[in-house]
Amino acid sequence: MKALGFDKFSLLGWSDGGITAMMAAAKNPDLISRMVVWGSNAFVSQQDLELYEAVRDVSRWSARMRQPMEEVYGVEVFAKTWKAWVDGIAQYAKRPEGSICMELLPLISCPTLIIHGEKDPMVPNFHPQYLLKHIKGSQLHLMPEGKHNLHLRYADEFNKLVENFMED
């Protein structure tokens, strides 16, 4: 962003992108104006490992969830890449408290909006609560019917939330 001429900017991050945004905000507090994360977590719990293992085999996913990814990556590459992601994310469980970026959360100083779908099958509800507790001054908006792709399924509501937050 510096190379593009931006002194300060905001971050929006979904899932692993939210983890990346939190790390960037913690390590670059002078650069980040605001941050929105959704479907994100700061640690991997035993419950998370069980969820990841349950979705390891993409051939068992519904066609609606699997086909868009297969169209982009190809059937074999998507299956292989997803298994590698499951194996990779599981490695965090071996770290103290399963930390991905827990120790960085107190360093985040920008206004932060956490959005969470209460029916997210990939990110249990204790994760956004943890983020809320450990990111100073953060706000949490729960979407009762939202799942992991809430920004797609409820695009109008999601976009309005983000727009309002960014304009504050």
Side-chain angles (χ1 to χ4, degrees), residues 39-82:
S40 301
N41 50 313
F43 62 92
V44 174
S45 70
Q46 186 59 44
Q47 182 179 346
D48 295 317
L49 290 176
E50 292 165 11
L51 291 171
Y52 303 152
E53 198 54 44
V55 296
R56 171 186 289 278
D57 182 356
V58 297
S59 71
R60 294 176 36 203
W61 292 16
S62 71
R64 184 177 61 82
M65 296 301 294
R66 187 182 67 247
Q67 284 175 342
M69 301 300 276
E70 290 175 343
E71 288 171 10
V72 172
Y73 300 104
V75 173
E76 289 180 30
V77 171
F78 174 57
K80 182 179 176 184
T81 302
W82 183 257

Side-chain angles (χ1 to χ4, degrees), residues 21-23 25-26 29 35 104-110 112 134-136:
M22 291 186 290
M23 291 175 167
M35 179 173 61
L104 297 176
L105 300 181
L107 303 176
I108 297 171
S109 57
C110 63
T112 300
H134 292 89
I135 299 174
K136 292 182 292 268

